[in-house]
Amino acid sequence: MAADLIAVVPDQRTTAGPGLRPTSSTGFVGRDESAFHRATDPNVFDWLDHVKAAAGCSHPIRLSGEVATVDRATGQLLSAARTEDMPDGEIYKPCGNRRHAICPSCARTYQRDAYQLLRAGLAGGKGIPASVAGHPAVFVTLTAPSFGTVHNRVVNRHTCGNRRRCDCRAEPCHARRATDPTARPCEHGQASVCWARHEESDPRLGQPLCLDCYDYDAQIVWNHSAPELWRRTSEAIRKRLHARSRQLGLPPVVQVTDSGRVRRVPPVKPSFGKVAEMQRRAVVHYHAIVRLDGVDLDPNAVVPPPAALGVDDLVAAVTHAATVTFTTRPHPARPQGWHIAWGDPAKGFDVRPITADGDITDGKVAGYLAKYATKSTEATGHVSRRLDGEVIDLYANHQGSHPERLIDACWTLGGNRDWQHLRRWAHMLGFGGHFLTKSRRYSTTFRILRDARVIWRRTETGHEYADQPEDDETTLIVGLLTYAGSGWRTTGDALLANTAAAMARERHEVAREEFAAVA
């Protein structure tokens, strides 16, 4: 609970709406910022119920206007509710930010949605047939190559019960014999060895042993090219499986498109669910679920693959595709372009079958990927919004820290007209892709999950803005709302709302643990 409050109260970054003049990042002229003032208000419980949907949000969106319920068939106005009749005269809406460092509450919601989305593609549910549990599926990890030696923590054998609180003894970081030629100091006089057994919280983890030896240009370009490398890899997996189906003599499936065109397509197709993780060395790597599906006459159907194709064929296709490479366009700093490829297969490539009762289960994989879906560059020690020429000097320094040198390389390379897109993603250290993506047929969508949550909230205690129960088939809800501001009105409001939300989450977690213990 304390972590939630610390993240919310000190820095509200409040944006004033109409009629409000901000005096600081946390308050407004003429408003009592005291939590005591709000708590002693006779209508405090009505206010808490009103802000319940956004109570845990760090920077809620405030809206004002009118919400109307209209009959779909006749266009008749059934009911209307004005925000000026509600507490504070505004509606509070969660910001919806997926990044845990920005808004822990909204990130937690996003993480749970991501878990349901990813797990549904392996176990079924949420509109996905339960038969997908029998489809061959693998969990794949693809990492970037080395751009220089960095401090790391390697545990050869884990004896801890919980990896989140791992206290196992790590191996020496970079141990080399004195007679080893690679143990000599680099050309810049920095040591090439490190005998430290780093703890998980050691700030040196991910930092280069020598900042001047590190290839920052290559890492920035690799980060930016990672989505294209993944696209080529997924295409290579698909082609390898199609070639395997032809080798087995499996007949193609004849499909008729909406335009009446007849297509003969291979009888097998892979589906993906992928998450990008930003490592401490500030380079992305991918965790992916690859599921093998069949192809039906209905292009939208999810059916099992032919029995002749199994998990071994899927593993072979993924292993083959991991060798895909390409060369970027030329740059004045590197006329031959940069060679883009995945890391050393012996160190950075891992593919494991997903089973219902083994070490790699659907729940574990979905939880693992959902955890990284809420993270971003904060693991590297850098967090900022999109950068421009006015603020770039605050973050970029070619003689500075590891993140500062990466941003400087991004901005410098982006000075070329053909590489301007690098400057757009300087705040993401060159990476411009999505942190969670999936194939269209893999699973449900975030929108479906969010719509289901909205319906559940409206029907939990009755619809708030209508005089009669909502019927999605006959009524339409129209929000005539305008933006009023961002953030809580006062620090006292933030304190009360987030404290109430934190207590509710704590009770919820205790209830879940008790149910799990009984089961």
Side-chain angles (χ1 to χ4, degrees), residues 205-260:
L205 287 176
Q207 301 298 309
L209 270 66
C210 178
L211 292 170
D212 295 322
C213 290
Y214 203 81
D215 194 346
Y216 287 99
D217 289 354
Q219 176 165 325
I220 284 296
V221 174
W222 197 96
N223 275 349
H224 193 75
S225 304
E228 173 63 16
L229 181 60
W230 167 256
R231 187 192 69 81
R232 292 172 182 248
T233 301
S234 61
E235 186 64 24
I237 295 173
R238 186 177 295 107
K239 291 180 178 179
R240 188 74 172 187
L241 290 171
H242 292 174
R244 178 60 176 163
S245 66
R246 289 193 298 270
Q247 183 181 2
L248 295 174
L250 300 176
V253 176
V254 179
Q255 290 182 339
V256 179
T257 63
D258 295 337
S259 61

Side-chain angles (χ1 to χ4, degrees), residues 155-340:
V155 178
N156 290 334
R157 182 181 178 184
H158 283 277
T159 58
C160 56
N162 188 346
R163 292 289 181 89
R164 295 182 179 180
R165 300 179 178 87
C166 176
D167 57 356
C168 299
R169 181 178 174 83
E171 299 299 317
C173 178
H174 288 287
R176 295 185 178 93
R177 295 180 181 274
T179 57
D180 190 341
T182 61
R184 299 173 182 174
C186 69
E187 59 180 324
H188 305 102
Q190 298 295 326
S192 299
V193 298
C194 177
W195 290 91
R197 300 176 186 268
H198 297 294
E199 297 295 333
E200 189 66 32
S201 58
D202 194 329
R204 290 178 293 175
L205 287 176
Q207 301 298 309
L209 270 66
C210 178
L211 292 170
D212 295 322
C213 290
Y214 203 81
D215 194 346
Y216 287 99
D217 289 354
Q219 176 165 325
I220 284 296
V221 174
W222 197 96
N223 275 349
H224 193 75
S225 304
E228 173 63 16
L229 181 60
W230 167 256
R231 187 192 69 81
R232 292 172 182 248
T233 301
S234 61
E235 186 64 24
I237 295 173
R238 186 177 295 107
K239 291 180 178 179
R240 188 74 172 187
L241 290 171
H242 292 174
R244 178 60 176 163
S245 66
R246 289 193 298 270
Q247 183 181 2
L248 295 174
L250 300 176
V253 176
V254 179
Q255 290 182 339
V256 179
T257 63
D258 295 337
S259 61
R261 183 180 176 183
V262 178
R263 297 192 309 166
R264 297 171 66 86
V265 298
V268 64
K269 182 177 182 179
S271 297
F272 308 95
K274 170 184 65 69
V275 169
E277 176 196 357
M278 184 69 74
Q279 294 178 301
R280 290 184 178 181
R281 59 175 174 147
V283 67
V284 295
H285 72 180
Y286 287 136
H287 302 289
I289 299 169
V290 185
R291 190 188 70 206
L292 192 58
D293 297 336
V295 176
D296 191 65
L297 296 176
D298 180 4
N300 297 318
V302 180
V303 298
L309 286 169
V311 67
D312 293 337
D313 299 298
L314 184 57
V315 170
V318 173
T319 304
H320 168 76
T323 61
V324 168
T325 64
F326 72 96
T327 302
T328 67
R329 71 180 71 178
H331 188 280
R334 192 177 181 89
Q336 70 272 29
W338 284 271
H339 183 70
I340 305 299

Side-chain angles (χ1 to χ4, degrees), residues 25 35 46 64 73 109 143 205 313 315 348 372 381 384 405 411 442 486:
S25 63
D46 292 336
S64 62
T109 301
T143 63
L205 287 176
D313 299 298
V315 170
Y372 288 114
S384 71
R405 295 189 183 211
W411 200 261
Y442 172 79
S486 298

Side-chain angles (χ1 to χ4, degrees), residues 76-108:
Q76 179 185 0
L77 178 64
L78 301 179
S79 63
R82 296 178 299 176
T83 58
E84 62 185 40
D85 299 328
M86 303 175 185
D88 290 347
E90 295 169 338
I91 291 177
Y92 289 81
K93 179 183 180 299
C95 67
N97 197 300
R98 68 163 189 85
R99 296 173 65 176
H100 188 272
I102 303 299
C103 183
S105 178
C106 291
R108 188 178 292 107

